[in-house]
Amino acid sequence: MKKYAGICSAGIIILVWILHLAFWIQMPLDWKSPFLYLAILIQTHLYTGLFISSHDAIHGVVSKEHPRLNHAIGRFCATLFAFNNYTILRKKHHHHHAYVNTAEDPDVHQGNFFIWWFKFMFQYVHWTQILAMAITYNVLKIWFPMTNIILIWELPAILATLQLFYFGTYLPHRGEHEPGNKHQSRSQEKNHIWAFISCYNFGYHYEHHDKPYLPWWKLAEAKEQNSQISSR
């Protein structure tokens, strides 16, 4: 069953994302209800899960035994996440790992947070993605209220992009790193609950760069091992 864990993980995230979106996109919205804001946060977290699943597929760990299926799932997750281009993501992410925190790194641009975020976004946003989003938005408007589309479909995607950038790129790579840090990455303090909530364990970023073949749910185990080594 272990060999299907990646497929099951991605499948659950996709299914819950679809069901949660389908429920809230047609619901009457009450601005005074805390459940509306909770729904936005949950959908944001599920969007982040889609991207993390796509990222795991980039590293070939959604389905190691079936590479075509692995990349098909990764491409599907990337498409659900605001029509991201999986081919571009895959190429640039491998470049990030090969040239981390250098001038050739497409993800790292040391300096002002917002300038860095803009440059980060500029690396991955393609005109076809914007066109697909615009077409889909206008099609969805035929059946669903505009406010619902914006709050439940569009806004969580934007928030998830910020979440992924802040916890998965900015915090791990900003500033100077200790001499001898071969991965030019740092990890958050050990807190598995917060690590999952914040970015599916990608706050344990040194562990990811050290062992990119691990799926997101095994990064906590890698953090445990590193914590034990450092405490000796």
Side-chain angles (χ1 to χ4, degrees):
M1 192 62 189
K2 279 186 178 181
K3 65 180 181 179
Y4 298 113
I7 297 173
C8 291
S9 169
I12 290 170
I13 290 170
I14 292 168
L15 179 61
V16 177
W17 181 88
I18 291 172
L19 292 176
H20 191 263
L21 176 64
F23 177 81
W24 279 99
I25 202 169
Q26 47 79 40
M27 284 288 291
L29 301 182
D30 179 3
W31 291 95
K32 296 180 181 180
S33 172
F35 293 108
L36 170 60
Y37 303 98
L38 179 61
I40 293 171
L41 291 177
I42 291 173
Q43 193 67 13
T44 298
H45 189 65
L46 292 169
Y47 263 112
T48 301
L50 287 177
F51 191 91
I52 295 301
S53 297
S54 182
H55 166 272
D56 273 5
I58 286 171
H59 286 288
V61 298
V62 170
S63 179
K64 295 180 181 180
E65 294 78 12
H66 306 285
R68 288 188 178 181
L69 177 60
N70 172 83
H71 292 303
I73 293 172
R75 193 175 303 276
F76 185 57
C77 288
T79 301
L80 290 180
F81 193 140
F83 298 97
N84 275 285
N85 187 308
Y86 180 73
T87 301
I88 293 175
L89 291 174
R90 187 181 177 191
K91 178 181 178 181
K92 288 187 178 290
H93 189 68
H94 283 307
H95 214 69
H96 165 63
H97 274 263
Y99 302 100
V100 61
N101 208 8
T102 67
E104 288 76 30
D105 187 344
D107 290 0
V108 178
H109 307 277
Q110 297 291 355
N112 179 273
F113 173 85
F114 293 101
I115 293 175
W116 186 348
W117 185 27
F118 174 79
K119 288 182 176 179
F120 176 83
M121 292 285 291
F122 186 75
Q123 291 287 335
Y124 296 100
V125 175
H126 193 265
W127 70 267
T128 55
Q129 178 183 358
I130 297 172
L131 179 61
M133 286 290 288
I135 292 172
T136 304
Y137 171 77
N138 282 283
V139 171
L140 289 173
K141 279 202 307 182
I142 298 172
W143 295 289
F144 306 110
M146 181 180 68
T147 304
N148 292 56
I149 297 170
I150 293 172
L151 292 181
I152 305 300
W153 183 59
E154 291 183 335
L155 178 61
I158 296 170
L159 293 176
T161 301
L162 178 59
Q163 180 181 2
L164 285 158
F165 170 72
Y166 184 73
F167 292 105
T169 298
Y170 179 73
L171 290 182
H173 293 296
R174 66 174 177 170
E176 297 293 328
H177 297 273
E178 316 81 49
N181 186 332
K182 61 181 179 179
H183 299 303
Q184 291 292 291
S185 310
R186 65 176 62 84
S187 289
Q188 67 168 75
E189 293 296 321
K190 188 177 73 172
N191 184 327
H192 299 333
I193 295 175
W194 174 241
F196 170 70
I197 292 172
S198 61
C199 200
Y200 289 75
N201 294 343
F202 270 80
Y204 299 147
H205 210 73
Y206 183 91
E207 286 72 19
H208 168 59
H209 276 265
D210 193 47
K211 298 176 180 177
Y213 51 84
L214 292 180
W216 65 264
W217 62 88
K218 286 196 173 182
L219 291 175
E221 181 180 323
K223 178 65 175 180
E224 290 280 356
Q225 292 171 353
N226 284 350
S227 296
Q228 291 172 8
I229 292 172
S230 63
S231 65
R232 290 174 184 171

